[in-house]
Amino acid sequence: MISARAYGDNGKMKEYHYTGPVEHKFSPYAFNGGTVLAVAGEDFALVASDTRLSEGYSIHSRDSPKCYKLTDTTVIGCSGFHGDCLTLTKIIEARLKMYKHSNNKSMTSGAIAAMLSTILYGKRFFPYYVYNIIGGLDEEGRGAVYSFDPVGSYQRDTYKAGGSASAMLQPLLDNQIGFKNMENVEQLPLTLEKAVQLVKDVFISAAERDVYTGDALKICIITKEGIREEIVPLRKD
Amino acid sequence: MALLDVCGISDWVKEDTFSAQKASVDRVNHFNFAAREPELAVPIGVDPAEFLKPFTDCEDGVEGVTIKLEHGTTTLAFKFQHGVMVAVDSRASAGAYVSTQMFKKVIEINPYLLGTMSGSAADCVYWERVLARECRIYKLRNKERISVSAASKLLANMVANYRGMGLSMGTMICGWDKKGPGLYYVDDNGLRLSGNMFSTGSGNSYAYGVMDSGYRYDLTVPEAYDLAQRAIFHATHRDAYSGGTVNMYHMQETGWIKVSQEDVGELYHRFAAEKK
């Protein structure tokens, strides 16, 4: 169905004028869609992403998850331009190995976040078009979420949504996890079961209204026992 | 020169200025990953500021690709008889979307130095972290804390190398050193000003209005806290890109203390109740 925008204000079709040959400049970026979400609890962290890879009106793949495991306690979710996501994760993994070899221990979540900030800023003038969210456990075993902008500005959060449906998910999380704009409500700490159910519900809603989100949901659950994965099907249309 | 290298003097000649010839090759290579020397990559053959414009400034970007960087603020600082007051909001916006309402816009460089951030979040966070590292190195080399004047000069000179390339940073360096309380404004053009009162960011005009109407050098401490809080609050009320919470710091002779962090919504009800 053609949306109403093809028609001008007064109901007639818009007139097309021939403007001459148009030069299309090469754009080094593309938008491949996808949504990522991370939630930190008292002793767990969740990183969830959909698995659809799209470009324009096409879907390239229905099985392209956006969560990448970095260490036993840290997972990163990257959405935006898939080419930059792949290169960025390769660089992060190489830097992790370098750190492990020089310091004889794995990088902590906080250290990975600080390092990613400088890696991203290193390309301040030709950014990685990637929206990153790191989820993991900090040194005390508490859940930690770090969210980034494309050039490396970052913050530690309790929950964050990034990617194409982020503007739809974030307000819902603000209300359900942050208890924003709710009066006289008992603020119970978030349990793992409730968080997983919330993430599933939230992605099902996002798949309804965002064309770039759907196909399947992959949740990485990080606890002190390790990283567990759950896959939930979503709408494929 | 071999002798120069053996003496280690070549370290003193630091190559951190922007040179167009060297920048014509993408120097961030994938073998050392900028792990030893921090390097900034520059797109080949294009003006970096113009290169990013179609992606960041236009509503629809280029073929659906919009890179929105986190921005926006109101920050203020003023000197008075009991030291320096610093107050900031905490909203970070990416285009029209509010990325977060709880962004830390004051960086605690050391117990006697604070830096505020406004403009592009990533630029401020990165360059103030580099400044914190330089201040620490100064302290280790010279066995005394760096002065506020020197710290602000370091920052101004660092960003002046990238002038015209699209950085956006307006910061205030506040501290207490041997000369007493210090307050400097530093921005992305390399401008550095010393003064008694500054406000930066998209909401700065609103904050100036409130600050100017209530400011005296001989304010008491509670009065200064109230003035700083009100100025930021009024700026968040009228400026769309400022909001969240008001974070206040007080720089005293014994170092800084964090005074309060109050949500702007709560402040609104408190001030409204006062009016009645």
Side-chain angles (χ1 to χ4, degrees):
Chain A
M1 250 182 71
I2 308 173
S3 79
R5 263 211 271 176
Y7 292 80
D9 282 328
N10 57 3
K12 285 197 198 155
M13 284 278 280
K14 267 198 249 181
E15 283 173 35
Y16 284 93
H17 302 282
Y18 179 63
T19 47
V22 178
E23 193 183 323
H24 288 282
K25 227 178 122 194
F26 168 69
S27 166
Y29 300 113
F31 181 61
N32 294 121
T35 306
V36 189
L37 167 54
V39 178
E42 190 56 48
D43 57 352
F44 67 89
L46 296 178
V47 180
S49 76
D50 72 323
T51 58
R52 173 175 287 181
L53 189 74
S54 34
E55 187 167 351
Y57 292 112
S58 320
I59 294 179
H60 287 315
S61 166
R62 294 195 192 272
D63 184 21
S64 170
K66 291 150 194 74
C67 314
Y68 302 89
K69 175 172 166 296
L70 296 178
T71 67
D72 288 331
T73 53
T74 317
V75 173
I76 187 172
C78 311
S79 69
F81 171 43
H82 193 60
D84 277 346
C85 296
L86 293 175
T87 300
L88 186 61
T89 47
K90 262 193 215 149
I91 292 181
I92 296 173
E93 276 158 18
R95 289 286 297 265
L96 283 175
K97 280 193 194 130
M98 285 161 72
Y99 183 96
K100 185 103 191 264
H101 291 142
S102 339
N103 300 84
N104 201 22
K105 63 174 183 138
S106 305
M107 280 186 93
T108 59
S109 297
I112 296 177
M115 178 185 74
L116 179 56
S117 174
T118 47
I119 292 175
L120 291 171
Y121 198 83
K123 297 261 283 163
R124 165 66 175 80
F125 301 112
F126 185 0
Y128 289 113
Y129 179 39
V130 188
Y131 290 93
N132 295 289
I133 306 184
I134 290 180
L137 300 176
D138 66 11
E139 288 109 322
E140 288 145 32
R142 281 201 282 270
V145 164
Y146 297 91
S147 61
F148 294 77
D149 86 338
V151 280
S153 155
Y154 81 108
Q155 273 271 106
R156 183 170 174 174
D157 290 310
T158 319
Y159 55 87
K160 187 80 180 171
S164 57
S166 58
M168 288 180 215
L169 299 185
Q170 189 68 29
L172 183 46
L173 297 177
D174 283 333
N175 181 266
Q176 291 296 307
I177 307 181
F179 303 106
K180 298 271 168 69
N181 300 310
M182 294 225 272
E183 311 241 346
N184 304 320
V185 87
E186 200 190 340
Q187 299 197 3
L188 297 163
L190 194 64
T191 60
L192 176 57
E193 292 72 29
K194 186 148 185 282
V196 173
Q197 191 51 49
L198 186 62
V199 166
K200 288 178 186 167
D201 290 339
V202 136
F203 263 91
I204 289 170
S205 311
E208 293 282 328
R209 289 290 180 175
D210 179 35
V211 302
Y212 297 111
T213 304
D215 294 333
L217 163 66
K218 181 168 162 187
I219 311 181
C220 298
I221 301 162
I222 307 150
T223 51
K224 62 179 192 302
E225 278 93 47
I227 301 181
R228 198 178 88 228
E229 286 174 8
E230 251 189 74
I231 304 199
V232 173
L234 293 174
R235 289 183 73 115
K236 294 185 176 11
D237 60 357
Chain B
M1 284 167 60
L3 184 56
L4 214 56
D5 289 334
V6 165
C7 296
I9 292 176
S10 53
D11 295 348
W12 297 357
V13 181
K14 272 188 23 177
E15 276 185 47
D16 55 3
T17 52
F18 174 66
S19 107
Q21 267 174 320
K22 288 197 192 147
S24 64
V25 180
D26 184 355
R27 281 184 68 211
V28 174
N29 65 58
H30 295 299
F31 299 110
N32 61 28
F33 300 101
R36 300 253 170 265
E37 286 298 319
E39 294 172 330
L40 293 194
V42 175
I44 302 166
V46 261
D47 173 16
E50 287 304 311
F51 174 77
L52 265 187
K53 264 215 179 99
F55 299 105
T56 53
D57 290 352
C58 300
E59 190 50 53
D60 294 323
V62 176
E63 293 162 7
V65 172
T66 53
I67 302 182
K68 294 289 183 203
L69 307 180
E70 288 177 2
H71 254 98
T73 312
T74 310
T75 68
L76 64 84
F78 58 84
K79 279 194 213 171
F80 69 118
Q81 63 176 337
H82 295 295
V84 191
M85 276 310 301
V86 177
V88 300
D89 76 313
S90 64
R91 174 174 287 186
S93 44
Y97 179 65
V98 176
S99 277
T100 174
Q101 290 272 62
M102 284 175 299
F103 194 78
K104 274 194 68 183
K105 297 188 188 178
V106 175
I107 181 169
E108 300 153 4
I109 297 171
N110 68 41
Y112 290 81
L113 254 189
L114 289 174
T116 66
M117 309 182 199
S118 74
S120 165
D123 292 336
C124 293
V125 167
Y126 182 84
W127 290 111
E128 294 198 12
R129 271 187 78 197
V130 174
L131 176 65
R133 194 186 72 164
E134 293 294 324
C135 293
R136 177 80 183 122
I137 290 174
Y138 181 98
K139 181 156 186 234
L140 288 168
R141 286 180 176 152
N142 299 283
K143 290 192 191 165
E144 63 167 21
R145 270 198 308 271
I146 192 171
S147 64
V148 186
S149 171
S152 58
K153 196 106 188 207
L154 275 175
L155 182 62
N157 290 340
M158 283 193 292
V159 293
N161 291 326
Y162 294 91
R163 200 165 166 201
M165 292 177 69
L167 290 187
S168 165
M169 188 188 81
T171 165
M172 293 179 297
I173 305 295
C174 328
W176 197 298
D177 58 21
K178 287 192 286 214
K179 292 199 208 124
L183 176 57
Y184 286 82
Y185 167 75
V186 177
D187 82 5
D188 50 83
N189 293 315
L191 174 66
R192 173 176 160 270
L193 297 170
S194 169
N196 288 332
M197 182 202 289
F198 289 109
S199 173
T200 68
S202 48
N204 72 350
S205 36
Y206 306 107
Y208 271 129
V210 176
M211 258 205 302
D212 284 330
S213 62
Y215 175 77
R216 290 182 331 267
Y217 184 78
D218 51 4
L219 286 169
T220 64
V221 171
E223 283 175 344
Y225 289 176
D226 185 67
L227 180 65
Q229 202 174 47
R230 265 175 214 268
I232 295 287
F233 164 74
H234 286 290
T236 61
H237 189 58
R238 283 291 176 180
D239 178 32
Y241 293 97
S242 304
T245 61
V246 181
N247 291 338
M248 272 208 294
Y249 287 73
H250 180 189
M251 178 67 68
Q252 303 163 317
E253 193 167 359
T254 47
W256 55 261
I257 55 164
K258 181 157 187 189
V259 176
S260 68
Q261 179 174 358
E262 279 192 70
D263 188 287
V264 158
E266 312 281 324
L267 284 176
Y268 178 81
H269 291 113
R270 184 147 60 93
F271 294 147
E274 276 172 20
K275 273 194 218 166
K276 290 189 190 133

